[in-house]
Amino acid sequence: MESLSKSPNLTSKPSKSPKSPKNNSNKQPNSFFRFINSKKVVPYLFVLPFIISFLILTLYPAVQGIIMSFQKVLPGQVTFIGLANYERLANPIFYKALLNTTLYVIFTVLILTVIPMLLAIFLDSKFVKFKTFFRASLFLPALTSTIVGGMIFRLMFGEQDTAVANQIISLFGLDAINWRFTSWAAIFLMVILASWRWIGVNILYFLAALQNVPEELYEAADIDGASKWQKLRYITIPQLKPIIIFVSTITIINGFRMFEESFVFWEAGSPGNIGLSVVGYIYQEGIRQNDMGYGSAIGVILMLIIAVISLIYLIATGTFKRGEN
Amino acid sequence: MNIKSKNKILTWIATISFGVISLIALFPIISLVISSFRPSSELMRQGISFSINFSQLSLDNYLYIFNQAPEYWAWYGNSLVISAITIVLSLFFSSMVGYALAVYDFKGKNFFFLLVLLILMVPFEILMLPLYQLMINTQLVDTYFAVVLPMVVAPVAVFFFRQYALGLPTQLMDAARIDGSTEYGIFFKIMLPLMGPSLAAMAILQGLGSWNNFLWPLLVLRSNDMFTLPIGLATLLTPYGNNYDVLIAGSVLTIIPIIILFIFFQRYFIAGLTTGGVKG
């Protein structure tokens, strides 16, 4: 902001006034106009919306969230209570939320990295016809909201014998499952919903990365008489490493942010918290119970988890190494 | 000859396999559309099922939603207005910021860019409680403004616009300056039109994000007539299933416009949705 007042256009103002025959009231907007159009000022005015939004919508809530996590926040009465909110985190419900979310992250990262990668490799081969159509159909689920998608899955995985999922397992001689009220199935439902919605997007990341694998590597391998499997193992997968790291990192981070996948199956609360996520716990405590202090403490823990993952990502991609050189 | 026929078989196997995989991916959407023609009581009793009584299919759910569900259309209107405002404001502000970070040299430029990258890594979920409190204190709860506010300057879009603007021809700027154009004139009249494809991609990302946004509107919207579609539809997800007519037909009417847009603007959808891997 200081650089604004240092702008040379302000100093050019007096030198202009003797030349100008116009009166003061006309000269004022003119020099103001010149000021806001100077190349020193323009970039800052362009960036100003970002600065304001950063201060109000990111910095303030981040700081306020950390402060609140040490407070008991009641309407009109805020008291500092030290680490009490964090001590309260040592309870079975939070552990359950953390366990559910971690399981969800592990399954989604495995499914949403390995399957899209394999599908992209096959889709990229010369043997597949109608590529554009297949790519589009796999991408289509990404257009539905989690609510609409989840509602469909709720009906497909209904507890009735006639629901699609139970009809399929009955073909294998299995009894109907009450999906939404079975502990292991709760995680399964959320994982399959997320996988269905995101697989097409991740395929696109891998397809884009496959275009960048240099053709000469395969030609050289052909000359050496490498098999298809060897080419996949020693050329394609190593070349895809950066995108594998990228896709798995965003899947992990999005996994820890999971909320809607849980909400759509059980609305505000699941039996025995079988579907409770960390963000769901923030919602339950911070909004429903109106305990902003405790909710913020959960948020701070989530912030730390995601910060650690981001840091690992930056180290894995060699961001810091490049900075040192 | 032998290799040729072997390749032909491989092509068949690969194409049919992908056909099956695509069918699995499309199955939930297809079955949603079929279900929307089934009586809601039947759907409640059977769930989405392979055993459909085709003689029962009718337009009743759609007739009901068009004639007797004014609240659904209120949600639809809210979603349209909120998405439109979000697209216009976020494109306007984010493109300005991204453009400035790309074409101008100024003090703090790198710092601002680092901030953009940093914010990209901060999930909204950990900021939402203080933001919600701020909305309560400023009495903005239950307004469009509150829903739109956090989306106005989108770091993803800033990042995307910056990358795009780096490739803009800066000679045009010098030429325009000689012609007496202001910096704002250069941006709005010359450079912004050149950023067309990136604007289209981000309009889709922001529009779809807003259309499907759930958690934040769930916090700040309180009255039924202010709800957006996802929030409104979620209120119909009750264990009793008494609202399935509006829920199912309403869901179809929510995704059909998006699918039609996707068919026409596939390229921009793909460019938009693969930016930075944001959760939509």
Side-chain angles (χ1 to χ4, degrees), chain B residues 16-94:
Chain B
I16 290 171
S17 311
F18 268 98
V20 172
I21 293 167
S22 296
L23 198 65
I24 295 172
L26 291 178
F27 178 79
I29 295 174
I30 296 169
S31 59
L32 173 76
V33 175
I34 295 173
S35 301
S36 70
F37 297 106
R38 294 175 65 194
S40 53
S41 57
E42 196 72 0
L43 199 62
M44 173 63 196
R45 204 166 56 235
Q46 291 199 328
I48 287 179
S49 175
F50 284 122
S51 36
I52 301 168
N53 185 349
F54 282 95
S55 64
Q56 282 183 329
L57 298 190
S58 74
L59 284 170
D60 286 355
N61 292 333
Y62 289 98
L63 290 175
Y64 182 83
I65 209 169
F66 277 106
N67 296 322
Q68 279 156 30
E71 78 280 4
Y72 176 80
W73 298 105
W75 305 336
Y76 216 99
N78 292 334
S79 271
L80 280 177
V81 172
I82 286 172
S83 299
I85 300 175
T86 304
I87 291 174
V88 171
L89 290 183
S90 73
L91 255 56
F92 179 77
F93 289 123
S94 308

Side-chain angles (χ1 to χ4, degrees), chain A residues 33 36-37 39 42-47 49-51 53-54 56-58 60-62 64-65 68 73 119 122-123 127-130 132 134-145 147-148 151-156 160 162-164 167-168 196-198 201 204-205 246 250 254 257-261 263-264 267 279 282-283 286-287 292 295-296 299 302-303 306 310 313-314, chain B residues 7 10-11 14-15 18-19 21-22 24-29 31-32 43-51 93 96-97 99-101 104 106-107 112 115-116 119 121 123-134 149-150 153 177 182-184 187 208 212 214-215 218-219 230 233-234 237-239 244 247-248 251 255 258-259 262 266 269-270 273-280:
Chain A
F33 178 76
I36 62 162
N37 195 39
K39 269 182 84 177
V42 166
Y44 293 100
L45 283 175
F46 273 44
V47 178
F50 171 72
I51 299 171
S53 122
F54 168 72
I56 300 175
L57 302 172
T58 307
Y60 164 75
Q64 173 71 359
M68 275 204 298
V73 185
L119 288 179
F122 288 127
L123 204 53
F127 296 116
V128 183
K129 303 255 181 231
F130 317 114
T132 327
F134 292 142
R135 205 181 53 183
S137 356
L138 289 167
F139 184 79
L140 214 54
L143 303 177
T144 63
S145 62
I147 298 305
V148 170
M151 185 267 300
I152 308 171
F153 275 67
R154 225 172 123 143
L155 289 170
M156 284 183 3
Q160 309 92 329
T162 47
V164 163
Q167 279 182 319
I168 291 174
W196 174 70
R197 286 188 65 236
W198 285 100
V201 176
L204 292 177
Y205 286 123
F246 171 76
I250 57 167
N254 285 341
R257 298 172 56 190
M258 188 266 284
F259 170 75
E260 293 169 38
E261 283 83 357
F263 190 97
V264 72
E267 299 115 54
V279 175
I282 297 180
Y283 175 73
I287 306 291
M292 291 258 190
S296 297
L302 184 64
M303 196 178 333
I306 289 172
S310 303
Y313 173 71
L314 292 175
Chain B
N7 281 353
L10 271 177
T11 306
T15 307
F18 268 98
I21 293 167
S22 296
I24 295 172
L26 291 178
F27 178 79
I29 295 174
S31 59
L32 173 76
L43 199 62
M44 173 63 196
R45 204 166 56 235
Q46 291 199 328
I48 287 179
S49 175
F50 284 122
S51 36
F93 289 123
M96 262 167 69
V97 178
Y99 167 81
L101 289 177
Y104 291 113
F106 57 101
K107 233 187 225 166
F112 289 132
L115 270 188
V116 173
I119 302 174
M121 289 195 167
F124 179 76
E125 287 76 4
I126 56 189
L127 306 174
M128 69 179 182
L129 288 185
L131 276 178
Y132 173 63
Q133 198 188 39
L134 185 70
L149 190 64
V153 186
R177 278 185 199 120
T182 65
E183 297 298 320
Y184 307 97
F187 174 60
L208 194 64
N212 290 342
F214 186 71
L215 181 50
L218 178 70
L219 301 195
L233 291 175
L237 281 170
T238 61
Y244 274 23
L247 182 61
I248 307 294
S251 296
I255 58 174
I258 310 287
I259 292 177
F262 173 69
Q266 217 191 107
F269 269 85
I270 287 172
L273 267 83
T274 49
T275 308
V278 276
K279 206 177 152 112

Side-chain angles (χ1 to χ4, degrees), chain B residues 222-270:
Chain B
R222 285 185 178 164
S223 44
N224 195 38
D225 58 342
M226 284 301 290
F227 284 170
T228 57
L229 280 170
I231 311 298
L233 291 175
T235 62
L236 304 180
L237 281 170
T238 61
Y240 316 108
N242 42 354
N243 297 307
Y244 274 23
D245 34 18
V246 176
L247 182 61
I248 307 294
S251 296
V252 173
L253 295 175
T254 308
I255 58 174
I256 293 298
I258 310 287
I259 292 177
I260 292 170
L261 284 175
F262 173 69
I263 292 167
F264 286 107
F265 303 105
Q266 217 191 107
R267 198 155 61 93
Y268 300 116
F269 269 85
I270 287 172

